[in-house]
Amino acid sequence: MLQTPSADGLRFAFGTLTVLPVKVTRWDRDAARGGMLCAPLAGLTVGVLAAAAGLLLLALGAGTLLAAVATAAVPAVLTRGLHLDGLADTADGLGSGKPAEDALRIMKQSDIGPFGVLALLFTLLAQVAALAQAYDGSWARGAFAAVVSATAARLALTTAARAGVPAARPEGLGAAVAGVVPTGRALTAAAAVTLAAAAAGASLGPYDALRTALAVVCAVALAELLLRHCVRRFGGVTGDVFGGVAETAATTALVVLVLG
């Protein structure tokens, strides 16, 4: 059964995963565990703010494409661009074909290589295209897609921080949260978010409940494939890998929500 989130866990989640003015007062493993379990709540907040930006532009007379761009931009701003940066660095590390130590060194460099540029380009294009299609359906579908994708992205962080997933480096945010969430609690969180998303999707129609649940499941599944590949290649996870996992989940959720 899910426990009530602690104040320290909420502060950790919002203080590390968003730019919102929340001070992290504890950096120990207990706080990190609570924070990663609260990650979907931070995602829900980011998604609501992203949807609000898109809806505001629609209300002002903007087209669905511009609303989609704004909706995709807000999560990037609210996360300091760290998830997108992590996606790019992870792509460069994986694409380098180098041994783990060399790949990790490439990922720490400040510049972005060709694999990172391509990953960013196609990920953002896919997100904007999917959001524009959702807004074309209705303002409610566009807003709903923004909220679900942001929440699913942070749920993927919760499952990626489960016990048994090692850190590739002894320092950094990746090391601070790697393996902190008991597997049972990670699975419970995944089930709770999926059911809540499906219930919310039912407000758009019976089929939407199933499609929303499928979007969350597929998002976590694709993120899990990336996570496992990174663990094999790098020997564990880093903060960059967590960023790549989140963006993979967000994009997958958006694509599934506009299919069919």
Side-chain angles (χ1 to χ4, degrees):
M1 182 175 64
L2 286 176
Q3 298 179 359
T4 302
S6 69
D8 289 323
L10 287 169
R11 280 193 289 265
F12 190 97
F14 282 88
T16 59
L17 300 178
T18 75
V19 296
L20 297 176
V22 178
K23 183 179 180 181
V24 180
T25 55
R26 288 177 54 189
W27 280 91
D28 55 70
R29 300 284 283 181
D30 286 339
R33 180 179 303 109
M36 297 314 289
L37 283 169
C38 292
L41 294 177
L44 176 64
T45 302
V46 169
V48 168
L49 293 175
L55 294 179
L56 176 61
L57 282 177
L58 289 176
L60 293 175
T64 55
L65 180 57
L66 185 55
V69 171
T71 302
V74 168
V77 172
L78 291 180
T79 56
R80 308 179 185 90
L82 290 180
H83 291 170
L84 289 170
D85 179 67
L87 172 69
D89 288 341
T90 300
D92 281 334
L94 292 174
S96 69
K98 301 287 186 180
E101 184 176 347
D102 293 333
L104 289 171
R105 188 185 70 252
I106 290 172
M107 292 165 65
K108 288 192 70 174
Q109 295 174 355
S110 58
D111 60 330
I112 299 178
F115 290 103
V117 171
L118 289 173
L120 286 177
L121 174 64
F122 288 116
T123 295
L124 289 173
L125 281 174
Q127 291 180 2
V128 170
L131 284 165
Q133 184 176 340
Y135 278 123
D136 282 337
S138 70
W139 65 265
R141 290 186 180 278
F144 183 69
V147 174
V148 171
S149 64
T151 305
R154 278 69 183 180
L155 172 62
L157 297 182
T158 301
T159 58
R162 69 183 182 277
V165 178
R169 301 190 187 105
E171 75 284 343
L173 180 60
V177 301
V180 296
V181 179
T183 302
R185 296 183 68 180
L187 292 175
T188 301
V193 171
T194 302
L195 290 174
S203 64
L204 298 175
Y207 174 70
D208 288 284
L210 177 61
R211 179 163 55 182
T212 303
L214 183 63
V216 175
V217 170
C218 288
V220 174
L222 265 291
E224 177 68 15
L225 289 177
L226 174 62
L227 175 72
R228 294 190 179 197
H229 184 52
C230 289
V231 170
R232 287 194 299 269
R233 284 282 284 109
F234 308 140
V237 294
T238 67
D240 287 332
V241 172
F242 276 103
V245 161
E247 291 298 331
T248 297
T251 307
T252 301
L254 286 173
V255 170
V256 173
L257 284 171
V258 298
L259 294 178

